[in-house]
Amino acid sequence: MSSNSEIDALIDLMAKLPGLGPRSARRAVLHLIRKRALLLTPLSDAMQQVAATARECLNCGNVGTTDICDICNSEDRATGELCVVEDVADLWAMERAGVFKGRYHVLGGTLSALDGVGPDDLRIPRLRDRVTAENITEVILALNATVDGQTTAHYIADQLEGQVRLTSLAQGVPIGGELDYLDDGTITAALRARKEL
């Protein structure tokens, strides 16, 4: 390791990022130092700017630089469809796909009895309010296919039953996926969600 405590501190901080361990963090820091003018200084400036301006959208929970995010502010996105996701990373993944043109609602996690996370710890009460206030016609539950994700989806479905059309993302074989590499649960879900050709 380096003899400079500031560099060591940067390596330690970088190692805390998802996907980076101590060795990868060390390599990343060395690369940044070597490309100081091209990468390190602009990265530092951008991080300071984001630290000063980033905030959670008061309406949906997305992350942006204003109190209400661009998606919530867009009249074009007021389609009556509301896609419910666990966290901001899921929202960003949906946006990358570019197929959903409605608005989002970020729960901030999933229900978990083991972790002591209940409905009031998430944005479920805000979701109920939005369904009424924004004239939502369909709630798309785009939650992860985990036990906690499905428990959360069932809870939300119970809370909104009769108020709005409820749908969920299809589950099953991914595009380009080979059956031999899929787990039994994915194959079962795909078989149950089969459709006519």
Side-chain angles (χ1 to χ4, degrees):
M1 274 198 101
S2 70
S3 61
N4 192 325
S5 61
E6 289 88 0
I7 294 173
D8 290 341
L10 179 58
I11 292 169
D12 290 343
L13 287 170
M14 294 281 286
K16 293 178 183 178
L17 294 173
L20 288 182
R23 292 176 68 196
S24 296
R26 203 171 312 120
R27 284 193 296 269
V29 168
L30 285 173
H31 183 74
L32 288 169
I33 291 169
R34 286 187 193 118
K35 305 282 185 176
R36 186 179 318 237
L38 186 64
L39 290 174
L40 185 59
T41 302
L43 178 63
S44 173
D45 294 344
M47 290 178 75
Q48 286 179 346
Q49 184 68 25
V50 168
T53 61
R55 63 195 68 201
E56 225 173 59
C57 175
L58 298 174
N59 197 41
C60 73
N62 191 11
V63 174
T65 57
T66 57
D67 287 336
I68 304 297
C69 73
D70 292 342
I71 294 171
C72 288
N73 268 331
S74 172
E75 284 302 316
D76 293 338
R77 302 298 291 253
T79 63
E81 296 175 328
L82 189 65
C83 183
V84 177
V85 295
E86 277 182 40
D87 58 39
V88 175
D90 298 330
L91 185 158
W92 290 358
M94 294 286 289
E95 281 295 286
R96 261 194 331 270
V99 293
F100 180 68
K101 301 301 179 194
R103 291 185 175 157
Y104 295 93
H105 187 82
V106 180
L107 292 175
T110 55
L111 297 173
S112 175
L114 290 175
D115 296 327
V117 179
D120 292 333
D121 299 315
L122 304 175
R123 291 188 191 90
I124 294 174
R126 176 73 182 124
L127 172 62
R128 287 191 302 257
D129 296 341
R130 288 187 70 193
V131 165
T132 304
E134 296 180 28
N135 297 317
I136 301 299
T137 56
E138 180 181 5
V139 170
I140 302 164
L141 299 173
L143 303 177
N144 292 325
T146 61
V147 171
D148 289 343
Q150 295 308 299
T151 300
T152 305
H154 287 294
Y155 179 84
I156 292 170
D158 287 344
Q159 294 294 302
L160 298 177
E161 188 175 9
Q163 299 176 45
V164 66
R165 178 177 180 226
L166 291 162
T167 59
S168 65
L169 295 182
Q171 297 174 356
V173 181
I175 293 175
E178 297 179 31
L179 293 179
D180 189 37
Y181 294 104
L182 299 177
D183 63 273
D184 296 344
T186 301
I187 291 173
T188 302
L191 190 59
R192 287 185 180 150
R194 67 188 181 275
K195 60 182 180 176
E196 302 242 357
L197 293 176

